[in-house]
Amino acid sequence: MIGFVGAGNMATAIARGLGEPVYATDAGSGRAAALVAELGGEVMPTNADLFKRSETIFLGHRPDQLAEIAKGVDATGKMVISMMGPTTVAELQAAYPGATVVRTMPNTPVEVRRGVVAVAAGGEPAVELLSRLGTVVVLPERQMDLATATAGVMPAYIAVLAEAAIDAAVCHGLDLKSAKSMFLETMAGTAELLIKRDGDTLAVRREVGTPGESTVRGVAALERNNVRTAFMDAYHDVLTRLSRPYTGGAIVTD
Ligand SMILES: NC(=O)c1ccc[n+]([C@@H]2O[C@H](COP(=O)([O-])OP(=O)(O)OC[C@H]3O[C@@H](n4cnc5c(N)ncnc54)[C@H](OP(=O)(O)O)[C@@H]3O)[C@@H](O)[C@H]2O)c1
């Protein structure tokens, strides 16, 4: 069985996507027991036990817990898959000598097997397993922060867009149920259409708009309100955050 150190949001999404019994631990919240109740498997009394019993282990804890957790376990011969944004392959190797370490950046849609998992080059041994969760993209390690900005955090941005559009529809008089259903299905359908058209966003936009009519006016309003600048700024802030020493939450400014 696959092991999960930590049963938080991302570990749970991956475990659900894989859809099989797990070994799991947590730091006392009871989330490991909830995960095991859902998928089957066993809560392990310690991380050392979890490493003993599993061949493949996902690290679902926060980056600042790496040293403390690795200290008490023997990972020799195991595959250790990290989902910690800023933690490098070299740091993982130093923490888990003798293991095959894999640096990944997944996103939460792995839960429904439509996720993206970026894998730092060298992590190829995990690609077959991770492909069960959606699309796997192998990248040079130096681009892993960009994977965090493009895939890891993106479900939150898309949720904000959905919220804004649904709120606007309700504000203008549409009932919430219809607003949700129309927007979410449009979002999913447009994603499929864009994939079919090989990401040609202009083609999809032009097929919707008639010159001078409602679509182009709506798009112009989005541009007036700096939708592109908002995305540029979001990338800038995420990448700036990732390039600084991780302190468990606070941004280090010096
Ligand atoms: N959330 C995302 O969308 C996302 C996307 C990509 C990458 N990530 C990365 O995934 C990692 C986890 O993020 P998250 O959002 O899932 O965080 P989270 O919900 O806070 O989960 C962290 C988990 O680690 C457990 N934990 C802490 N110390 C432990 C220990 N000593 N032994 C065993 N388990 C321990 C916690 O236990 P308790 O439940 O007892 O507190 C919790 O279950 C982070 O590195 C994050 O950067 C997250």
Side-chain angles (χ1 to χ4, degrees), residues 49 54-55 98 122 145 187 225 246 249:
D49 292 303
S54 324
E55 290 310 306
D145 286 353
M187 190 168 70
N225 284 281
Y246 190 82

PDB file of all heavy atoms in Angstrom, residues 49 54-55 98 122 145 187 225 246 249:
ATOM      1  N   ASP A  49       6.845   3.723  11.332  1.00  0.00           N
ATOM      2  CA  ASP A  49       6.054   2.542  10.944  1.00  0.00           C
ATOM      3  C   ASP A  49       5.553   2.681   9.506  1.00  0.00           C
ATOM      4  O   ASP A  49       5.559   1.719   8.736  1.00  0.00           O
ATOM      5  CB  ASP A  49       4.851   2.376  11.877  1.00  0.00           C
ATOM      6  CG  ASP A  49       5.282   2.012  13.284  1.00  0.00           C
ATOM      7  OD1 ASP A  49       5.971   0.993  13.442  1.00  0.00           O
ATOM      8  OD2 ASP A  49       4.945   2.776  14.209  1.00  0.00           O
ATOM      9  N   SER A  54       5.457   0.839   3.779  1.00  0.00           N
ATOM     10  CA  SER A  54       5.133   1.277   2.409  1.00  0.00           C
ATOM     11  C   SER A  54       6.380   1.296   1.535  1.00  0.00           C
ATOM     12  O   SER A  54       7.470   1.613   2.011  1.00  0.00           O
ATOM     13  CB  SER A  54       4.565   2.707   2.426  1.00  0.00           C
ATOM     14  OG  SER A  54       3.777   2.936   3.544  1.00  0.00           O
ATOM     15  N   GLU A  55       6.203   0.993   0.260  1.00  0.00           N
ATOM     16  CA  GLU A  55       7.309   1.106  -0.710  1.00  0.00           C
ATOM     17  C   GLU A  55       7.339   2.513  -1.316  1.00  0.00           C
ATOM     18  O   GLU A  55       8.388   3.019  -1.689  1.00  0.00           O
ATOM     19  CB  GLU A  55       7.153   0.066  -1.828  1.00  0.00           C
ATOM     20  CG  GLU A  55       7.391  -1.368  -1.372  1.00  0.00           C
ATOM     21  CD  GLU A  55       8.691  -1.528  -0.585  1.00  0.00           C
ATOM     22  OE1 GLU A  55       9.749  -1.126  -1.097  1.00  0.00           O
ATOM     23  OE2 GLU A  55       8.637  -2.036   0.562  1.00  0.00           O
ATOM     24  N   GLY A  98      19.554   7.282   0.209  1.00  0.00           N
ATOM     25  CA  GLY A  98      19.218   5.870  -0.057  1.00  0.00           C
ATOM     26  C   GLY A  98      17.834   5.682  -0.643  1.00  0.00           C
ATOM     27  O   GLY A  98      17.456   4.586  -1.049  1.00  0.00           O
ATOM     28  N   GLY A 122      14.281  13.869 -13.416  1.00  0.00           N
ATOM     29  CA  GLY A 122      14.892  12.910 -12.499  1.00  0.00           C
ATOM     30  C   GLY A 122      13.811  12.106 -11.775  1.00  0.00           C
ATOM     31  O   GLY A 122      14.072  11.033 -11.240  1.00  0.00           O
ATOM     32  N   ASP A 145       9.081  26.327  -9.655  1.00  0.00           N
ATOM     33  CA  ASP A 145       8.311  27.428  -9.062  1.00  0.00           C
ATOM     34  C   ASP A 145       7.228  27.917 -10.030  1.00  0.00           C
ATOM     35  O   ASP A 145       6.125  28.287  -9.621  1.00  0.00           O
ATOM     36  CB  ASP A 145       9.227  28.603  -8.696  1.00  0.00           C
ATOM     37  CG  ASP A 145      10.067  28.314  -7.456  1.00  0.00           C
ATOM     38  OD1 ASP A 145       9.838  27.272  -6.809  1.00  0.00           O
ATOM     39  OD2 ASP A 145      10.955  29.129  -7.147  1.00  0.00           O
ATOM     40  N   MET A 187     -17.547  26.730 -18.045  1.00  0.00           N
ATOM     41  CA  MET A 187     -16.108  26.671 -17.762  1.00  0.00           C
ATOM     42  C   MET A 187     -15.532  25.312 -18.188  1.00  0.00           C
ATOM     43  O   MET A 187     -14.516  25.247 -18.888  1.00  0.00           O
ATOM     44  CB  MET A 187     -15.897  26.891 -16.254  1.00  0.00           C
ATOM     45  CG  MET A 187     -14.474  27.080 -15.864  1.00  0.00           C
ATOM     46  SD  MET A 187     -14.364  27.683 -14.163  1.00  0.00           S
ATOM     47  CE  MET A 187     -14.881  26.246 -13.275  1.00  0.00           C
ATOM     48  N   ASN A 225     -10.628  46.542 -16.884  1.00  0.00           N
ATOM     49  CA  ASN A 225     -10.444  46.285 -15.447  1.00  0.00           C
ATOM     50  C   ASN A 225      -9.197  45.448 -15.168  1.00  0.00           C
ATOM     51  O   ASN A 225      -9.069  44.841 -14.105  1.00  0.00           O
ATOM     52  CB  ASN A 225     -11.707  45.633 -14.879  1.00  0.00           C
ATOM     53  CG  ASN A 225     -12.795  46.668 -14.714  1.00  0.00           C
ATOM     54  OD1 ASN A 225     -12.784  47.434 -13.750  1.00  0.00           O
ATOM     55  ND2 ASN A 225     -13.692  46.749 -15.678  1.00  0.00           N
ATOM     56  N   TYR A 246      11.726  29.792   3.368  1.00  0.00           N
ATOM     57  CA  TYR A 246      10.437  29.394   3.923  1.00  0.00           C
ATOM     58  C   TYR A 246      10.498  29.399   5.445  1.00  0.00           C
ATOM     59  O   TYR A 246      11.378  28.816   6.041  1.00  0.00           O
ATOM     60  CB  TYR A 246      10.047  27.994   3.432  1.00  0.00           C
ATOM     61  CG  TYR A 246       8.628  27.667   3.800  1.00  0.00           C
ATOM     62  CD1 TYR A 246       7.564  28.137   3.017  1.00  0.00           C
ATOM     63  CD2 TYR A 246       8.326  26.954   4.944  1.00  0.00           C
ATOM     64  CE1 TYR A 246       6.259  27.878   3.352  1.00  0.00           C
ATOM     65  CE2 TYR A 246       7.016  26.686   5.290  1.00  0.00           C
ATOM     66  CZ  TYR A 246       5.984  27.147   4.486  1.00  0.00           C
ATOM     67  OH  TYR A 246       4.692  26.885   4.827  1.00  0.00           O
ATOM     68  N   GLY A 249       5.234  30.287   7.089  1.00  0.00           N
ATOM     69  CA  GLY A 249       4.074  31.156   6.938  1.00  0.00           C
ATOM     70  C   GLY A 249       4.459  32.597   6.697  1.00  0.00           C
ATOM     71  O   GLY A 249       4.038  33.199   5.723  1.00  0.00           O
TER      72      GLY A 249
END
